[in-house]
């Protein structure tokens, strides 16, 4: 018996808070005392309270939806560029395939930037675009330069809306959110690691604990499905028709 893993860093802010709130509710259903995690739960609950406070101004901002939409456009443009380079690898023209390979090496070095927090993605794309623009192979692919320019433009659009939100809220809440989420994740991981370790060394017969694990894994399965659907959508979306934290 064990509590399954889930990539909490892939969740959006609202999803992350909802998941952690669900974890809190599941723990309260059996009690931290019964689970033997009272000190760990106390730390987790304190971190969750800070996350709640940090999330509030973000949710109240009228620009939150606009930021999400701009980020999706940016992510779709990045995906389109990656797919275009990937397709060009199979070009019947040797020089085109060779140029595509050189550009793919650059893209691979930066990794999938879409999973990064807003500001980190912004800075990474700036560096990526600068490196691609300097590479002579860019001109060898007819549409590559257009994709790169569109990526740069949408990247600046995201940053513009983010700055508007900072002015609106009088702060930079996403920086705070990034740190408090990390704190919550650490506290959560300590609890789950302790519980899973205890399940290995103990023959758990308490029905309330068994139900707790079942409830956690049921919730984890639901959130994993949400993440999988989004990932699938991002992969199948057509960048030309459209588009994180």
């Amino acid at each position: 018996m064990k509590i399954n893993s889930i990539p909490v860093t892939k969740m959006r802010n609202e999803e992350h808070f909802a998941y952690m709130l669900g974890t809190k509710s599941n723990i309260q259903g059996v009690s931290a005392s019964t689970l033997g995690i009272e000190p760990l739960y106390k730390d987790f609950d304190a971190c969750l309270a800070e996350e709640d406070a940090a999330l509030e101004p973000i949710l109240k901002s009228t620009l939150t939806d606009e930021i999400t939409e701009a980020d999706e456009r940016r992510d779709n443009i990045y995906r389109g560029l990656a797919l275009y380079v990937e397709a060009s690898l199979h070009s019947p023209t040797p020089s085109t395939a060779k140029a595509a390979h050189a550009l793919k090496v650059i893209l691979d070095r930066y990794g999938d930037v879409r999973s990064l927090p807003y500001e980190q993605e912004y800075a990474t794309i700036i560096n990526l675009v600068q490196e691609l623009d300097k590479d002579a192979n860019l001109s060898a692919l007819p549409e590559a330069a257009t994709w790169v320019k569109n990526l740069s433009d949408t990247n600046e659009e995201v940053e513009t809306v983010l700055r508007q939100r900072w002015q609106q809220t009088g702060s930079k809440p996403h920086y705070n959110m990034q740190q408090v989420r990390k704190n919550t994740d650490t506290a959560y991981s300590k609890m789950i690691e302790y519980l899973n370790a205890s399940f290995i060394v103990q023959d758990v017969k308490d029905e309330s604990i068994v139900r707790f694990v079942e409830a956690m894994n049921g919730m984890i399965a639901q959130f994993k499905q949400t993440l999988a659907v989004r990932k699938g959508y991002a992969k199948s979306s057509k960048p030309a028709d459209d588009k994180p934290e």
Side-chain angles (χ1 to χ4, degrees), residues 121-167:
E121 182 175 356
Y122 171 71
T124 302
I125 287 177
I126 286 178
N127 292 332
L128 171 62
V129 167
Q130 288 175 345
E131 187 166 351
L132 289 171
D133 278 339
K134 289 188 298 184
D135 197 294
N137 292 287
L138 190 66
S139 60
L141 302 185
E143 300 296 327
T146 300
W147 279 112
V148 172
K149 184 180 186 307
N150 286 338
L151 179 60
S152 179
D153 290 345
T154 54
N155 195 40
E156 292 302 327
E157 287 174 11
V158 175
E159 182 68 5
T160 296
V161 185
L162 281 173
R163 290 184 183 281
Q164 290 173 356
R165 185 170 71 179
W166 301 340
Q167 294 168 0

Side-chain angles (χ1 to χ4, degrees), residues 4 16 41 48 53 68 78 80 129 155 159 162 176 190 206 226:
N4 295 329
H16 186 273
Y41 173 73
L48 191 56
T68 300
Y78 171 83
V129 167
N155 195 40
E159 182 68 5
L162 281 173
N176 188 30
K190 287 181 179 179
D206 190 321
T226 298

Side-chain angles (χ1 to χ4, degrees), residues 9 11 16 38 46 56 76 79 103 114 116 119-120 124-125 135 146 153 158 161 176 187 189 201 208 215 218 244:
T9 57
M11 296 177 181
H16 186 273
E38 287 175 289
E56 183 178 6
N76 276 350
R79 179 62 179 165
L103 296 181
R114 295 172 298 173
L116 299 174
E119 274 301 312
Q120 190 176 349
T124 302
I125 287 177
D135 197 294
T146 300
D153 290 345
V158 175
V161 185
N176 188 30
S189 295
V201 299
S208 65

Side-chain angles (χ1 to χ4, degrees), residues 104-232:
K104 189 174 186 304
V105 168
I106 297 175
L107 290 172
D108 288 347
R109 186 160 63 245
Y110 282 86
D112 190 346
V113 300
R114 295 172 298 173
S115 63
L116 299 174
Y118 289 138
E119 274 301 312
Q120 190 176 349
E121 182 175 356
Y122 171 71
T124 302
I125 287 177
I126 286 178
N127 292 332
L128 171 62
V129 167
Q130 288 175 345
E131 187 166 351
L132 289 171
D133 278 339
K134 289 188 298 184
D135 197 294
N137 292 287
L138 190 66
S139 60
L141 302 185
E143 300 296 327
T146 300
W147 279 112
V148 172
K149 184 180 186 307
N150 286 338
L151 179 60
S152 179
D153 290 345
T154 54
N155 195 40
E156 292 302 327
E157 287 174 11
V158 175
E159 182 68 5
T160 296
V161 185
L162 281 173
R163 290 184 183 281
Q164 290 173 356
R165 185 170 71 179
W166 301 340
Q167 294 168 0
Q168 186 183 78
T169 61
S171 62
K172 294 187 178 182
H174 64 292
Y175 282 140
N176 188 30
M177 175 56 69
Q178 184 177 355
Q179 184 57 52
V180 296
R181 275 186 59 162
K182 184 177 180 180
N183 294 342
T184 303
D185 290 347
T186 298
Y188 168 81
S189 295
K190 287 181 179 179
M191 285 196 308
I192 301 304
E193 288 171 5
Y194 177 87
L195 287 169
N196 281 338
S198 69
F199 297 155
I200 293 175
V201 299
Q202 299 177 33
D203 183 16
V204 179
K205 298 184 182 300
D206 190 321
E207 285 298 320
S208 65
I209 296 180
V210 174
R211 288 195 297 271
F212 162 75
V213 174
E214 291 174 347
M216 284 297 299
N217 285 338
M219 182 177 69
I220 287 169
Q222 291 178 347
F223 275 86
K224 277 186 172 180
Q225 178 63 23
T226 298
L227 296 175
V229 168
R230 182 185 308 135
K231 183 177 181 181

